[in-house]
């Protein structure tokens, strides 16, 4: 079979509802790798929250974090690595206008650094519940431009704040709104989305678009599924994602949807 580039969203897709890889998923993705296909994680997660998953799968391919703002090969130097950053002046301005936007938590990250204005509340697991003094976000501590800005805002206000931020910083940023119980906005450099990372990887490895398979479930996967030759929505995906996709998995993320689909599509059963 022609070599495929397989790009995987993590949450709600490759991971189950406990944010874990199942034994079948690990086994199947490793089979795909041994069969000569390129398996690549393309996630909104920061590197710190995707590294262990990458290692469990024993991958050596590039990974894209922050919805494609950072693309790199973990644990090694890679000449193709890139990071698209946001001018730190945007962060300074947000810090000064926290009350105007109802910002309850402001955090910024790069590949290896994390800063927040304070530790995350116990109910919010995405960020550390304890931070060291040198991780406290100030104009002095933030010396470089961040790859990602994440803000927790007042309940049910995310869309309103998104509109405000896009009006104020429209020439510099893209803003995504998280699904789920928390009102969270994720900010990356203008023009960044997962399809750009996938296109970059395809060009790097000389793989045609029709030989790319992408799996996703949420709004930040839309451009990626639309771009590739075979965009696959999870059974548990949103209606919008299902409408964009070429196919839908028979099983959801809690029942090895990705693994079972790839096993059949790539004939990995033996």
């Amino acid at each position: 079979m022609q070599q495929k580039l397989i790009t995987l969203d993590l949450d709600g897709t490759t991971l189950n509802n406990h944010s874990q890889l199942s034994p079948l998923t690990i086994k199947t993705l490793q089979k795909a790798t041994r069969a000569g296909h390129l398996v690549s994680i393309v996630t909104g997660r920061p590197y710190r929250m995707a590294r262990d998953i990458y290692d469990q799968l024993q991958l050596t391919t590039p990974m894209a974090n922050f919805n494609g703002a950072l693309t790199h090969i973990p644990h090694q130097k890679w000449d193709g690595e890139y990071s698209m950053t946001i001018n730190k002046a945007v962060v300074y301005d947000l810090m000064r206008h926290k009350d105007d936007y109802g910002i309850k938590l402001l955090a910024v990250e790069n590949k290896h650094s994390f800063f927040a204005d304070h530790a995350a509340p116990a109910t919010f697991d995405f960020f550390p519940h304890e931070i060291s003094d040198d991780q406290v976000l100030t104009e002095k501590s933030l010396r470089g431009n961040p790859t990602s800005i994440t803000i927790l805002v007042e309940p049910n206000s995310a869309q309103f704040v998104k509109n405000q931020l896009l009006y104020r910083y429209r020439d510099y940023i893209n803003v995504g709104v998280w699904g789920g119980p928390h009102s969270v906005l994720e900010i990356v450099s203008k023009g960044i989305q997962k399809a750009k990372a996938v296109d970059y990887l395809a060009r790097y490895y000389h793989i045609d678009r029709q030989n790319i398979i992408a799996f996703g479930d949420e709004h930040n996967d839309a451009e990626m599924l639309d771009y590739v030759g075979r965009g696959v929505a999870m059974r548990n995906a949103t209606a919008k994602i299902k409408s964009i996709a070429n196919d839908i998995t028979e099983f959801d993320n809690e029942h090895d949807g990705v693994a079972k689909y790839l096993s059949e599509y790539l004939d990995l059963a033996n």
Side-chain angles (χ1 to χ4, degrees):
M1 177 180 274
Q2 180 79 38
Q3 184 185 45
K4 304 292 185 184
L5 171 60
I6 303 162
T7 61
L8 302 169
D9 171 56
L10 290 180
D11 296 285
T13 300
T14 310
L15 303 180
N16 63 22
N17 293 338
H18 300 285
S19 296
Q20 296 172 336
L21 292 165
S22 74
L24 180 61
T25 295
I26 295 171
K27 180 180 177 182
T28 303
L29 291 173
Q30 289 178 346
K31 271 188 175 182
T33 297
R34 288 197 299 273
H37 304 295
L38 297 169
V39 176
S40 187
I41 293 170
V42 181
T43 178
R45 286 187 176 214
Y47 178 44
R48 64 184 169 83
M49 292 186 67
R51 180 173 48 219
D52 289 349
I53 298 161
Y54 181 93
D55 290 343
Q56 271 187 281
L57 293 170
Q58 298 180 347
L59 297 176
T60 57
T61 48
M63 171 163 65
N65 297 103
F66 305 116
N67 289 317
L70 169 68
T71 300
H72 61 118
I73 300 181
H75 315 306
Q76 62 175 278
K77 282 191 173 293
W78 176 45
D79 62 0
E81 178 170 333
Y82 73 81
S83 177
M84 303 298 291
T85 59
I86 307 162
N87 193 309
K88 62 189 177 193
V90 173
V91 182
Y92 298 160
D93 198 51
L94 283 171
M95 291 166 67
R96 296 186 198 107
H97 292 91
K98 280 177 59 177
D99 293 342
D100 298 342
Y101 298 119
I103 295 174
K104 299 165 68 177
L105 176 67
L106 173 62
V108 302
E109 311 198 40
N110 285 312
K111 183 176 177 178
H112 294 301
S113 65
F114 171 84
F115 299 95
D117 55 354
H118 57 82
T123 55
F124 188 51
D125 288 334
F126 189 77
F127 292 132
H129 299 145
E130 295 181 7
I131 59 174
S132 59
D133 290 344
D134 60 0
Q135 290 179 311
V136 176
L137 177 63
T138 65
E139 290 195 18
K140 187 175 181 180
S141 65
L142 184 64
R143 297 193 183 104
N145 294 331
T147 309
S148 173
I149 305 169
T150 308
I151 58 178
L152 178 66
V153 296
E154 297 291 344
N156 305 312
S157 68
Q159 193 61 49
F160 172 76
V161 177
K162 173 183 175 177
N163 293 341
Q164 297 284 97
L165 296 180
L166 286 175
Y167 178 76
R168 187 176 182 90
Y169 311 112
R170 58 187 173 275
D171 294 333
Y172 307 102
I173 62 171
N174 278 5
V175 183
V177 178
W178 282 13
H182 298 288
S183 291
V184 177
L185 298 173
E186 188 170 54
I187 302 167
V188 290
S189 179
K190 189 172 181 67
I192 289 297
Q193 32 95 343
K194 288 185 177 184
K196 294 216 169 181
V198 175
D199 177 66
Y200 182 77
L201 294 178
R203 290 174 187 273
Y204 188 88
Y205 288 104
H206 307 292
I207 293 176
D208 291 335
R209 281 169 67 172
Q210 65 262 30
N211 288 317
I212 311 172
I213 312 169
F215 291 85
D217 72 307
E218 268 285 356
H219 64 278
N220 63 333
D221 300 311
E223 294 89 352
M224 176 172 73
L225 265 62
D226 187 50
Y227 168 80
V228 303
R230 178 166 288 264
V232 184
M234 300 303 294
R235 184 187 176 99
N236 51 284
T238 64
K240 177 184 176 181
I241 292 301
K242 287 179 177 176
S243 73
I244 291 170
N246 302 106
D247 207 354
I248 300 170
T249 62
E250 182 180 354
F251 300 94
D252 62 17
N253 67 306
E254 189 70 0
H255 297 90
D256 302 301
V258 168
K260 290 172 180 174
Y261 187 95
L262 282 176
S263 185
E264 182 176 341
Y265 186 72
L266 299 177
D267 194 22
L268 300 173
N270 298 320

